[in-house]
Amino acid sequence: MKRPIYATICAQWTKVPPVATADLTGQTVIVVGANIGLGFESAKHFAKMNPARLILACRSEEKGKAAVEKIREETGYTPELELLDLSKFSSVIAFVDRFLKNKDARLDILMANAAVAVYEHKETSDGWEESIQVNNLSTSLLCLLLAPRMVETGEKFKTKPRLVVVGSEVHYWSTLKNEVFESGSAFRTISSKEYGKMDARYFDTKLLNLFFTRSLADLLADTPVIANCVNPGYCYSALRRKFQGFQQAADWVMEKALARTSEEGGRQLTYAAVGSPEDPDRLRGQYISLHCVEEPSDYILGSEGKKRQDILWVS
């Protein structure tokens, strides 16, 4: 489908459904980027569902500890803190190694939430454009490395673990240039300083998130693990904290007119992780918004969309 602006405005003014709940007794939940905003709010919702372990995966130890304490104060539940910096592949691998060191550790929910929005080309120490590495490559690496443990968990406990990638409706307004699919190295092309405009890069990363989720869902089709992609909507968020000048002023006006609270956005994430308990497979590989399955961009669908998806998967 195509997404006109008025449809987005109407969705933003639609009342967000109540938070979905579940009994997470005995289960383990990981929330990436949990020290602030949507990640923090979803973690707080999970804390009220009595998980055996709730792990906040944060880049900053100081901010992570503050989030742990705040959740403890507000819910009475004390989560764990683990450091994870998605701008470094080594940090992703170290995080996974620490978690998998306990061979009996189960993993029932992975909330792949962290993202950055940058408007100037900046490379990480691994040599990738920052938002491509954080929003896509490292997020995908984390999911792929932890997915086998989630499969084991589902098979052992006869459950349906959920792997949730946080996307956005801005994916409707992104397409990729043909050169991406003709280059032989799609992500290197998108990551290059010469490709496209940086003010559209965040939109591109959210499109790539959805392509990845659909490929991952195909890979996990015959397993208990349900992978999906969720749109939290336009929310008050620290994601845009570096805006300045006119961009900052325009965003302030838009927030006043349209933005949901971070807690309302967090409800969307929580639904993707525990919603539709009567038929969890209904959410397998789906794009979810306002607690409903929605059709993603036409650019993703059909035979041409599948060709693009397959090229990205092997790039």
Side-chain angles (χ1 to χ4, degrees), residues 185-246:
S185 182
F187 284 94
R188 277 295 178 194
T189 300
I190 301 170
S191 178
S192 69
K193 191 172 184 178
E194 295 74 26
Y195 179 81
K197 296 181 179 180
M198 285 304 299
D199 58 5
R201 186 57 52 87
Y202 180 74
F203 292 22
D204 295 341
T205 66
K206 295 292 106 177
L207 178 70
L208 291 168
N209 280 151
L210 194 45
F211 272 126
F212 169 73
T213 304
R214 290 167 68 88
S215 289
L216 184 61
D218 289 345
L219 181 68
L220 298 171
D222 296 325
T223 78
V225 180
I226 295 170
N228 59 43
C229 188
V230 64
N231 165 43
Y234 176 63
C235 303
Y236 285 95
S237 171
L239 186 66
R240 302 179 296 276
R241 60 187 176 274
K242 294 184 179 180
F243 281 8
Q244 294 181 346
F246 174 78

Short mmCIF file of all heavy atoms in Angstrom, two decimals, residues 185-246:
data_model
loop_
_atom_site.label_atom_id
_atom_site.label_comp_id
_atom_site.label_asym_id
_atom_site.label_seq_id
_atom_site.Cartn_x
_atom_site.Cartn_y
_atom_site.Cartn_z
N SER A 185 27.10 -5.23 -3.60
CA SER A 185 27.28 -5.04 -2.16
C SER A 185 26.33 -3.94 -1.72
O SER A 185 26.71 -2.78 -1.57
CB SER A 185 28.73 -4.67 -1.83
OG SER A 185 28.91 -4.54 -0.44
N ALA A 186 25.08 -4.32 -1.51
CA ALA A 186 24.02 -3.33 -1.27
C ALA A 186 24.31 -2.44 -0.08
O ALA A 186 24.16 -1.21 -0.16
CB ALA A 186 22.69 -4.06 -1.07
N PHE A 187 24.72 -3.03 1.03
CA PHE A 187 24.90 -2.22 2.24
C PHE A 187 26.14 -1.33 2.15
O PHE A 187 26.15 -0.23 2.70
CB PHE A 187 24.95 -3.11 3.48
CG PHE A 187 23.59 -3.60 3.88
CD1 PHE A 187 23.13 -4.83 3.44
CD2 PHE A 187 22.75 -2.82 4.66
CE1 PHE A 187 21.86 -5.28 3.79
CE2 PHE A 187 21.48 -3.26 5.01
CZ PHE A 187 21.03 -4.49 4.57
N ARG A 188 27.17 -1.78 1.45
CA ARG A 188 28.32 -0.91 1.23
C ARG A 188 27.91 0.30 0.38
O ARG A 188 28.36 1.43 0.62
CB ARG A 188 29.45 -1.68 0.53
CG ARG A 188 30.31 -2.48 1.48
CD ARG A 188 31.08 -1.58 2.43
NE ARG A 188 31.88 -2.34 3.38
CZ ARG A 188 32.42 -1.83 4.48
NH1 ARG A 188 32.24 -0.55 4.77
NH2 ARG A 188 33.13 -2.58 5.30
N THR A 189 27.05 0.08 -0.58
CA THR A 189 26.59 1.18 -1.43
C THR A 189 25.78 2.18 -0.62
O THR A 189 26.02 3.39 -0.68
CB THR A 189 25.73 0.63 -2.58
OG1 THR A 189 26.51 -0.27 -3.37
CG2 THR A 189 25.23 1.76 -3.48
N ILE A 190 24.83 1.70 0.18
CA ILE A 190 24.00 2.60 0.98
C ILE A 190 24.84 3.33 2.03
O ILE A 190 24.58 4.49 2.35
CB ILE A 190 22.88 1.81 1.68
CG1 ILE A 190 22.00 1.09 0.65
CG2 ILE A 190 22.01 2.72 2.54
CD1 ILE A 190 21.03 0.10 1.25
N SER A 191 25.84 2.64 2.55
CA SER A 191 26.68 3.21 3.61
C SER A 191 27.65 4.27 3.10
O SER A 191 28.16 5.07 3.88
CB SER A 191 27.47 2.08 4.30
OG SER A 191 28.32 2.59 5.29
N SER A 192 27.89 4.30 1.81
CA SER A 192 28.91 5.19 1.26
C SER A 192 28.50 6.66 1.38
O SER A 192 27.32 7.01 1.41
CB SER A 192 29.18 4.86 -0.21
OG SER A 192 28.05 5.19 -1.00
N LYS A 193 29.48 7.51 1.41
CA LYS A 193 29.24 8.95 1.53
C LYS A 193 28.56 9.50 0.28
O LYS A 193 27.84 10.50 0.33
CB LYS A 193 30.58 9.66 1.74
CG LYS A 193 30.45 11.12 2.13
CD LYS A 193 31.79 11.70 2.52
CE LYS A 193 31.64 13.14 3.01
NZ LYS A 193 32.95 13.71 3.45
N GLU A 194 28.74 8.81 -0.83
CA GLU A 194 28.19 9.29 -2.11
C GLU A 194 26.72 8.93 -2.28
O GLU A 194 26.03 9.52 -3.13
CB GLU A 194 28.98 8.68 -3.28
CG GLU A 194 30.44 9.12 -3.37
CD GLU A 194 31.34 8.49 -2.31
OE1 GLU A 194 31.01 7.37 -1.84
OE2 GLU A 194 32.35 9.12 -1.93
N TYR A 195 26.20 8.00 -1.48
CA TYR A 195 24.84 7.54 -1.73
C TYR A 195 23.79 8.43 -1.09
O TYR A 195 23.80 8.67 0.11
CB TYR A 195 24.65 6.11 -1.19
CG TYR A 195 23.23 5.61 -1.42
CD1 TYR A 195 22.86 5.10 -2.66
CD2 TYR A 195 22.27 5.71 -0.42
CE1 TYR A 195 21.56 4.67 -2.88
CE2 TYR A 195 20.97 5.28 -0.64
CZ TYR A 195 20.62 4.77 -1.88
OH TYR A 195 19.33 4.36 -2.11
N GLY A 196 22.86 8.88 -1.90
CA GLY A 196 21.66 9.55 -1.43
C GLY A 196 21.89 10.77 -0.56
O GLY A 196 22.98 11.34 -0.50
N LYS A 197 20.85 11.18 0.12
CA LYS A 197 20.89 12.33 1.01
C LYS A 197 20.74 11.86 2.45
O LYS A 197 19.88 11.07 2.77
CB LYS A 197 19.76 13.31 0.67
CG LYS A 197 19.88 13.92 -0.72
CD LYS A 197 18.74 14.90 -0.98
CE LYS A 197 18.87 15.53 -2.36
NZ LYS A 197 17.76 16.48 -2.64
N MET A 198 21.56 12.41 3.33
CA MET A 198 21.55 11.98 4.71
C MET A 198 20.24 12.34 5.41
O MET A 198 19.86 11.67 6.37
CB MET A 198 22.72 12.57 5.47
CG MET A 198 24.05 11.90 5.17
SD MET A 198 24.07 10.10 5.47
CE MET A 198 23.72 10.03 7.22
N ASP A 199 19.54 13.35 4.93
CA ASP A 199 18.29 13.71 5.61
C ASP A 199 17.19 12.67 5.36
O ASP A 199 16.13 12.72 5.99
CB ASP A 199 17.82 15.11 5.23
CG ASP A 199 17.60 15.30 3.74
OD1 ASP A 199 17.73 14.32 2.99
OD2 ASP A 199 17.32 16.44 3.33
N ALA A 200 17.44 11.74 4.44
CA ALA A 200 16.49 10.65 4.19
C ALA A 200 17.00 9.32 4.71
O ALA A 200 16.33 8.30 4.57
CB ALA A 200 16.19 10.53 2.69
N ARG A 201 18.18 9.31 5.32
CA ARG A 201 18.81 8.06 5.71
C ARG A 201 18.02 7.30 6.78
O ARG A 201 17.93 6.08 6.75
CB ARG A 201 20.24 8.33 6.19
CG ARG A 201 21.08 7.08 6.49
CD ARG A 201 21.16 6.14 5.30
NE ARG A 201 21.61 6.79 4.09
CZ ARG A 201 22.88 6.96 3.74
NH1 ARG A 201 23.84 6.52 4.53
NH2 ARG A 201 23.20 7.55 2.61
N TYR A 202 17.44 8.01 7.75
CA TYR A 202 16.66 7.33 8.77
C TYR A 202 15.50 6.57 8.14
O TYR A 202 15.21 5.43 8.52
CB TYR A 202 16.14 8.34 9.80
CG TYR A 202 15.31 7.70 10.89
CD1 TYR A 202 15.90 6.93 11.89
CD2 TYR A 202 13.93 7.86 10.92
CE1 TYR A 202 15.14 6.34 12.89
CE2 TYR A 202 13.16 7.27 11.91
CZ TYR A 202 13.77 6.51 12.90
OH TYR A 202 13.02 5.92 13.88
N PHE A 203 14.82 7.20 7.15
CA PHE A 203 13.73 6.54 6.45
C PHE A 203 14.23 5.25 5.79
O PHE A 203 13.57 4.21 5.84
CB PHE A 203 13.14 7.46 5.38
CG PHE A 203 12.41 8.66 5.89
CD1 PHE A 203 12.62 9.17 7.17
CD2 PHE A 203 11.48 9.30 5.09
CE1 PHE A 203 11.94 10.28 7.64
CE2 PHE A 203 10.78 10.41 5.54
CZ PHE A 203 11.02 10.91 6.82
N ASP A 204 15.41 5.35 5.17
CA ASP A 204 16.00 4.18 4.51
C ASP A 204 16.26 3.05 5.51
O ASP A 204 16.00 1.88 5.21
CB ASP A 204 17.31 4.55 3.82
CG ASP A 204 17.14 5.55 2.67
OD1 ASP A 204 16.00 5.67 2.17
OD2 ASP A 204 18.13 6.19 2.29
N THR A 205 16.77 3.40 6.69
CA THR A 205 17.09 2.36 7.66
C THR A 205 15.83 1.65 8.16
O THR A 205 15.86 0.46 8.44
CB THR A 205 17.87 2.92 8.88
OG1 THR A 205 17.05 3.82 9.64
CG2 THR A 205 19.15 3.61 8.44
N LYS A 206 14.74 2.38 8.24
CA LYS A 206 13.49 1.75 8.68
C LYS A 206 12.91 0.85 7.59
O LYS A 206 12.30 -0.18 7.89
CB LYS A 206 12.48 2.82 9.08
CG LYS A 206 12.88 3.65 10.30
CD LYS A 206 12.88 2.80 11.58
CE LYS A 206 14.22 2.44 12.10
NZ LYS A 206 14.17 1.69 13.39
N LEU A 207 13.11 1.21 6.33
CA LEU A 207 12.74 0.33 5.23
C LEU A 207 13.57 -0.95 5.29
O LEU A 207 13.05 -2.06 5.15
CB LEU A 207 12.96 1.04 3.89
CG LEU A 207 12.66 0.23 2.63
CD1 LEU A 207 11.16 -0.02 2.47
CD2 LEU A 207 13.21 0.95 1.38
N LEU A 208 14.86 -0.80 5.54
CA LEU A 208 15.74 -1.96 5.63
C LEU A 208 15.38 -2.84 6.83
O LEU A 208 15.49 -4.07 6.76
CB LEU A 208 17.20 -1.48 5.74
CG LEU A 208 17.77 -0.83 4.48
CD1 LEU A 208 19.09 -0.13 4.79
CD2 LEU A 208 17.95 -1.85 3.36
N ASN A 209 14.95 -2.24 7.94
CA ASN A 209 14.49 -3.02 9.09
C ASN A 209 13.35 -3.96 8.70
O ASN A 209 13.30 -5.12 9.11
CB ASN A 209 14.00 -2.11 10.20
CG ASN A 209 15.09 -1.50 11.05
OD1 ASN A 209 14.93 -0.41 11.59
ND2 ASN A 209 16.21 -2.18 11.19
N LEU A 210 12.43 -3.45 7.90
CA LEU A 210 11.27 -4.27 7.52
C LEU A 210 11.66 -5.37 6.54
O LEU A 210 11.19 -6.52 6.66
CB LEU A 210 10.18 -3.37 6.92
CG LEU A 210 8.79 -3.97 6.78
CD1 LEU A 210 8.36 -4.74 8.01
CD2 LEU A 210 7.78 -2.88 6.46
N PHE A 211 12.54 -5.05 5.60
CA PHE A 211 13.04 -6.09 4.70
C PHE A 211 13.71 -7.20 5.52
O PHE A 211 13.49 -8.40 5.27
CB PHE A 211 14.06 -5.50 3.71
CG PHE A 211 13.46 -4.97 2.44
CD1 PHE A 211 13.72 -3.67 2.03
CD2 PHE A 211 12.67 -5.76 1.63
CE1 PHE A 211 13.19 -3.17 0.84
CE2 PHE A 211 12.14 -5.28 0.44
CZ PHE A 211 12.40 -3.97 0.04
N PHE A 212 14.53 -6.81 6.49
CA PHE A 212 15.23 -7.80 7.31
C PHE A 212 14.24 -8.66 8.10
O PHE A 212 14.38 -9.90 8.15
CB PHE A 212 16.20 -7.12 8.28
CG PHE A 212 16.75 -8.06 9.32
CD1 PHE A 212 17.70 -9.00 8.98
CD2 PHE A 212 16.29 -8.01 10.63
CE1 PHE A 212 18.19 -9.90 9.93
CE2 PHE A 212 16.76 -8.90 11.59
CZ PHE A 212 17.73 -9.84 11.24
N THR A 213 13.26 -8.03 8.70
CA THR A 213 12.29 -8.77 9.51
C THR A 213 11.57 -9.82 8.68
O THR A 213 11.36 -10.95 9.12
CB THR A 213 11.27 -7.82 10.14
OG1 THR A 213 11.95 -6.81 10.89
CG2 THR A 213 10.31 -8.56 11.05
N ARG A 214 11.19 -9.46 7.46
CA ARG A 214 10.48 -10.40 6.60
C ARG A 214 11.39 -11.58 6.21
O ARG A 214 10.95 -12.74 6.17
CB ARG A 214 9.95 -9.68 5.37
CG ARG A 214 8.80 -8.72 5.71
CD ARG A 214 8.48 -7.77 4.58
NE ARG A 214 7.91 -8.43 3.42
CZ ARG A 214 6.61 -8.66 3.24
NH1 ARG A 214 5.74 -8.31 4.17
NH2 ARG A 214 6.16 -9.24 2.13
N SER A 215 12.67 -11.29 5.95
CA SER A 215 13.60 -12.37 5.64
C SER A 215 13.82 -13.26 6.86
O SER A 215 13.88 -14.50 6.74
CB SER A 215 14.95 -11.80 5.18
OG SER A 215 14.85 -11.22 3.89
N LEU A 216 13.95 -12.64 8.02
CA LEU A 216 14.16 -13.41 9.24
C LEU A 216 12.94 -14.28 9.55
O LEU A 216 13.09 -15.44 9.95
CB LEU A 216 14.44 -12.46 10.41
CG LEU A 216 14.77 -13.11 11.75
CD1 LEU A 216 16.03 -13.96 11.65
CD2 LEU A 216 14.93 -12.05 12.84
N ALA A 217 11.77 -13.74 9.34
CA ALA A 217 10.54 -14.51 9.56
C ALA A 217 10.49 -15.72 8.63
O ALA A 217 10.05 -16.81 9.01
CB ALA A 217 9.31 -13.63 9.37
N ASP A 218 10.94 -15.54 7.38
CA ASP A 218 11.02 -16.68 6.45
C ASP A 218 11.99 -17.73 6.98
O ASP A 218 11.70 -18.94 6.91
CB ASP A 218 11.48 -16.20 5.07
CG ASP A 218 10.41 -15.39 4.33
OD1 ASP A 218 9.24 -15.43 4.74
OD2 ASP A 218 10.77 -14.72 3.34
N LEU A 219 13.13 -17.29 7.47
CA LEU A 219 14.14 -18.20 7.99
C LEU A 219 13.60 -19.00 9.19
O LEU A 219 13.91 -20.17 9.35
CB LEU A 219 15.38 -17.41 8.41
CG LEU A 219 16.55 -18.22 8.98
CD1 LEU A 219 17.19 -19.08 7.90
CD2 LEU A 219 17.59 -17.29 9.60
N LEU A 220 12.77 -18.35 10.00
CA LEU A 220 12.25 -18.95 11.23
C LEU A 220 10.86 -19.56 11.05
O LEU A 220 10.21 -19.93 12.03
CB LEU A 220 12.20 -17.90 12.34
CG LEU A 220 13.55 -17.31 12.75
CD1 LEU A 220 13.34 -16.12 13.70
CD2 LEU A 220 14.44 -18.36 13.40
N ALA A 221 10.43 -19.68 9.81
CA ALA A 221 9.05 -20.10 9.53
C ALA A 221 8.69 -21.44 10.16
O ALA A 221 7.55 -21.63 10.60
CB ALA A 221 8.82 -20.16 8.02
N ASP A 222 9.62 -22.37 10.21
CA ASP A 222 9.33 -23.70 10.73
C ASP A 222 9.78 -23.86 12.18
O ASP A 222 9.99 -24.98 12.65
CB ASP A 222 9.99 -24.76 9.85
CG ASP A 222 9.43 -24.77 8.44
OD1 ASP A 222 8.21 -24.52 8.29
OD2 ASP A 222 10.20 -25.00 7.49
N THR A 223 9.94 -22.75 12.88
CA THR A 223 10.35 -22.78 14.29
C THR A 223 9.27 -22.13 15.14
O THR A 223 8.34 -21.50 14.61
CB THR A 223 11.67 -21.99 14.49
OG1 THR A 223 11.39 -20.59 14.50
CG2 THR A 223 12.68 -22.33 13.40
N PRO A 224 9.38 -22.22 16.46
CA PRO A 224 8.38 -21.56 17.32
C PRO A 224 8.53 -20.04 17.37
O PRO A 224 7.61 -19.36 17.84
CB PRO A 224 8.66 -22.17 18.71
CG PRO A 224 9.56 -23.33 18.49
CD PRO A 224 10.31 -23.05 17.23
N VAL A 225 9.67 -19.52 16.91
CA VAL A 225 9.96 -18.09 17.09
C VAL A 225 9.19 -17.23 16.11
O VAL A 225 9.20 -17.48 14.90
CB VAL A 225 11.47 -17.81 16.96
CG1 VAL A 225 11.76 -16.32 17.15
CG2 VAL A 225 12.25 -18.63 17.97
N ILE A 226 8.54 -16.21 16.63
CA ILE A 226 7.76 -15.28 15.82
C ILE A 226 8.51 -13.96 15.73
O ILE A 226 8.71 -13.26 16.73
CB ILE A 226 6.37 -15.06 16.44
CG1 ILE A 226 5.58 -16.37 16.40
CG2 ILE A 226 5.62 -13.94 15.71
CD1 ILE A 226 4.29 -16.33 17.18
N ALA A 227 8.95 -13.61 14.52
CA ALA A 227 9.61 -12.33 14.28
C ALA A 227 8.62 -11.38 13.64
O ALA A 227 7.89 -11.76 12.72
CB ALA A 227 10.82 -12.53 13.36
N ASN A 228 8.57 -10.15 14.13
CA ASN A 228 7.71 -9.15 13.52
C ASN A 228 8.35 -7.77 13.63
O ASN A 228 9.39 -7.60 14.29
CB ASN A 228 6.30 -9.18 14.11
CG ASN A 228 6.27 -8.96 15.61
OD1 ASN A 228 6.96 -8.09 16.14
ND2 ASN A 228 5.47 -9.75 16.31
N CYS A 229 7.72 -6.80 12.99
CA CYS A 229 8.23 -5.44 12.96
C CYS A 229 7.10 -4.51 13.42
O CYS A 229 5.96 -4.63 12.94
CB CYS A 229 8.68 -5.07 11.55
SG CYS A 229 9.53 -3.48 11.41
N VAL A 230 7.38 -3.61 14.34
CA VAL A 230 6.34 -2.77 14.92
C VAL A 230 6.61 -1.29 14.68
O VAL A 230 7.76 -0.83 14.72
CB VAL A 230 6.19 -3.05 16.43
CG1 VAL A 230 7.45 -2.67 17.19
CG2 VAL A 230 4.98 -2.32 17.00
N ASN A 231 5.55 -0.56 14.41
CA ASN A 231 5.60 0.88 14.24
C ASN A 231 5.06 1.53 15.52
O ASN A 231 3.87 1.44 15.81
CB ASN A 231 4.74 1.30 13.04
CG ASN A 231 4.46 2.80 13.03
OD1 ASN A 231 5.34 3.60 13.30
ND2 ASN A 231 3.22 3.17 12.73
N PRO A 232 5.91 2.21 16.29
CA PRO A 232 5.42 2.87 17.50
C PRO A 232 4.69 4.17 17.23
O PRO A 232 4.04 4.73 18.11
CB PRO A 232 6.69 3.12 18.31
CG PRO A 232 7.76 3.24 17.27
CD PRO A 232 7.37 2.30 16.15
N GLY A 233 4.81 4.66 15.99
CA GLY A 233 4.23 5.96 15.65
C GLY A 233 5.19 7.09 15.99
O GLY A 233 6.29 6.89 16.50
N TYR A 234 4.75 8.29 15.69
CA TYR A 234 5.54 9.49 15.97
C TYR A 234 5.33 9.87 17.43
O TYR A 234 4.22 10.19 17.85
CB TYR A 234 5.09 10.61 15.04
CG TYR A 234 5.77 11.95 15.26
CD1 TYR A 234 7.14 12.11 15.07
CD2 TYR A 234 5.02 13.06 15.64
CE1 TYR A 234 7.74 13.33 15.27
CE2 TYR A 234 5.62 14.30 15.83
CZ TYR A 234 6.98 14.42 15.64
OH TYR A 234 7.58 15.64 15.83
N CYS A 235 6.40 9.78 18.23
CA CYS A 235 6.29 9.97 19.68
C CYS A 235 7.29 11.03 20.15
O CYS A 235 8.29 11.31 19.49
CB CYS A 235 6.60 8.67 20.41
SG CYS A 235 5.57 7.27 19.95
N TYR A 236 7.01 11.57 21.32
CA TYR A 236 8.04 12.36 22.00
C TYR A 236 9.22 11.44 22.23
O TYR A 236 9.07 10.36 22.79
CB TYR A 236 7.52 12.89 23.34
CG TYR A 236 6.55 14.04 23.21
CD1 TYR A 236 5.17 13.81 23.19
CD2 TYR A 236 7.00 15.35 23.10
CE1 TYR A 236 4.28 14.87 23.08
CE2 TYR A 236 6.11 16.41 22.97
CZ TYR A 236 4.75 16.16 22.96
OH TYR A 236 3.87 17.21 22.84
N SER A 237 10.39 11.84 21.78
CA SER A 237 11.52 10.92 21.80
C SER A 237 12.84 11.67 21.82
O SER A 237 12.96 12.77 21.25
CB SER A 237 11.47 10.01 20.55
OG SER A 237 12.64 9.26 20.43
N ALA A 238 13.83 11.07 22.47
CA ALA A 238 15.18 11.63 22.46
C ALA A 238 15.88 11.38 21.14
O ALA A 238 16.99 11.86 20.92
CB ALA A 238 16.00 11.03 23.60
N LEU A 239 15.23 10.63 20.25
CA LEU A 239 15.82 10.32 18.94
C LEU A 239 16.17 11.60 18.18
O LEU A 239 17.14 11.64 17.43
CB LEU A 239 14.83 9.49 18.13
CG LEU A 239 15.29 8.94 16.78
CD1 LEU A 239 16.39 7.91 16.97
CD2 LEU A 239 14.13 8.32 16.02
N ARG A 240 15.38 12.66 18.41
CA ARG A 240 15.59 13.91 17.68
C ARG A 240 16.25 14.99 18.53
O ARG A 240 16.16 16.18 18.24
CB ARG A 240 14.23 14.41 17.16
CG ARG A 240 13.52 13.40 16.28
CD ARG A 240 12.17 13.89 15.79
NE ARG A 240 11.22 14.09 16.88
CZ ARG A 240 10.47 13.13 17.41
NH1 ARG A 240 10.56 11.89 16.97
NH2 ARG A 240 9.63 13.41 18.40
N ARG A 241 16.95 14.56 19.57
CA ARG A 241 17.51 15.51 20.54
C ARG A 241 18.60 16.40 19.97
O ARG A 241 18.92 17.44 20.54
CB ARG A 241 18.04 14.77 21.77
CG ARG A 241 19.14 13.76 21.49
CD ARG A 241 19.48 12.95 22.76
NE ARG A 241 20.46 11.91 22.53
CZ ARG A 241 20.17 10.70 22.11
NH1 ARG A 241 18.92 10.38 21.83
NH2 ARG A 241 21.11 9.79 21.94
N LYS A 242 19.20 16.00 18.84
CA LYS A 242 20.28 16.79 18.26
C LYS A 242 19.78 17.79 17.22
O LYS A 242 20.58 18.48 16.59
CB LYS A 242 21.34 15.87 17.66
CG LYS A 242 22.07 15.03 18.71
CD LYS A 242 23.18 14.20 18.09
CE LYS A 242 23.91 13.38 19.15
NZ LYS A 242 25.00 12.56 18.57
N PHE A 243 18.47 17.86 17.01
CA PHE A 243 17.93 18.85 16.08
C PHE A 243 18.29 20.25 16.55
O PHE A 243 18.30 20.53 17.75
CB PHE A 243 16.41 18.73 16.00
CG PHE A 243 15.91 17.59 15.14
CD1 PHE A 243 16.77 16.65 14.62
CD2 PHE A 243 14.56 17.47 14.86
CE1 PHE A 243 16.31 15.61 13.83
CE2 PHE A 243 14.08 16.43 14.07
CZ PHE A 243 14.96 15.50 13.56
N GLN A 244 18.52 21.14 15.59
CA GLN A 244 18.86 22.52 15.92
C GLN A 244 18.14 23.46 14.96
O GLN A 244 17.70 23.07 13.88
CB GLN A 244 20.38 22.75 15.82
CG GLN A 244 21.18 21.99 16.85
CD GLN A 244 22.67 22.25 16.73
OE1 GLN A 244 23.15 22.80 15.74
NE2 GLN A 244 23.41 21.88 17.76
N GLY A 245 18.02 24.72 15.36
CA GLY A 245 17.50 25.76 14.49
C GLY A 245 16.09 25.48 14.00
O GLY A 245 15.21 25.09 14.77
N PHE A 246 15.88 25.69 12.70
CA PHE A 246 14.54 25.52 12.11
C PHE A 246 14.03 24.10 12.30
O PHE A 246 12.85 23.88 12.58
CB PHE A 246 14.58 25.87 10.62
CG PHE A 246 13.27 25.59 9.92
CD1 PHE A 246 12.19 26.45 10.04
CD2 PHE A 246 13.12 24.44 9.14
CE1 PHE A 246 10.99 26.18 9.41
CE2 PHE A 246 11.91 24.16 8.51
CZ PHE A 246 10.85 25.05 8.64
#
